Amino acid sequence: MIEIPLWAAIVFSISILIGAALALLGCIGLARLNTFYARVHAPTLGTSFGMLGVVVASALYFSLVEMRPVLHEILILVFITVTTPVTLMLLSRAALHRDRAHGLPDVPQPSSVARRSREDQDDGKI
């Protein structure tokens, strides 16, 4: 059994607690916010930043225990950092398209810039 120094245990603990607290804030935001568009942001940010604390603690711990740099956690970090915002964007666009198709009054309409760009594309100018 490997003896972990006190300073390392404190760093691991703080990193895990920060990551867990951020993930908890994302969960609370999901439960407390009113609309879908507001709710979708909180868990995304909680997942991204909460995962960062846990991954940092894991990389540091296993690097210390195995006496060599353990970097495969970086793959987890990259994968979640890339896929979480993409998922948020796709869910938001699908919900926005659905809500606009149903004609809901509180859904924002496309901006005039986006509307002009779409019209230009339809006319073959772009």
Side-chain angles (χ1 to χ4, degrees), residues 85-109:
V86 171
T87 305
L88 161 75
M89 182 187 68
L90 291 174
L91 282 171
S92 297
R93 282 187 176 184
L96 191 60
H97 179 71
R98 179 201 62 208
D99 291 346
R100 284 181 182 159
H102 287 291
L104 297 178
D106 59 340
V107 176
Q109 294 304 313

Side-chain angles (χ1 to χ4, degrees), residues 12 23 27-29 32 35 41 59-61 64 69 78 83-84 90-92 97-98 106 108 110 115 121 125:
F12 305 149
C27 294
I28 291 170
R32 301 268 314 180
T35 66
H41 288 285
L60 292 174
Y61 174 78
L64 183 69
V78 168
T83 58
T84 301
L90 291 174
L91 282 171
S92 297
H97 179 71
R98 179 201 62 208
D106 59 340
R115 205 173 309 121
Q121 287 176 351
K125 293 180 182 176

Side-chain angles (χ1 to χ4, degrees), residues 67-88:
M67 304 286 186
R68 64 181 178 85
V70 176
L71 302 176
H72 63 274
E73 280 89 353
I74 292 175
L75 292 174
I76 297 169
L77 180 79
V78 168
F79 180 72
I80 292 178
T81 302
V82 168
T83 58
T84 301
V86 171
T87 305
L88 161 75

Side-chain angles (χ1 to χ4, degrees), residues 2-122:
I2 296 177
E3 211 40 53
I4 298 173
L6 179 62
W7 66 267
I10 291 172
V11 170
F12 305 149
S13 300
I14 289 172
S15 182
I16 292 280
L17 287 174
I18 289 172
L22 290 171
L24 178 64
L25 284 174
C27 294
I28 291 170
L30 176 66
R32 301 268 314 180
L33 294 172
N34 296 330
T35 66
F36 172 79
Y37 303 104
R39 283 184 178 173
V40 81
H41 288 285
T44 303
L45 294 173
T47 300
S48 298
F49 294 120
M51 168 268 319
L52 181 65
V54 174
V55 167
V56 165
S58 175
L60 292 174
Y61 174 78
F62 287 108
S63 294
L64 183 69
V65 168
E66 295 184 12
M67 304 286 186
R68 64 181 178 85
V70 176
L71 302 176
H72 63 274
E73 280 89 353
I74 292 175
L75 292 174
I76 297 169
L77 180 79
V78 168
F79 180 72
I80 292 178
T81 302
V82 168
T83 58
T84 301
V86 171
T87 305
L88 161 75
M89 182 187 68
L90 291 174
L91 282 171
S92 297
R93 282 187 176 184
L96 191 60
H97 179 71
R98 179 201 62 208
D99 291 346
R100 284 181 182 159
H102 287 291
L104 297 178
D106 59 340
V107 176
Q109 294 304 313
S111 68
S112 60
V113 173
R115 205 173 309 121
R116 270 186 301 208
S117 175
R118 255 186 263 122
E119 289 170 359
D120 290 344
Q121 287 176 351
D122 293 341

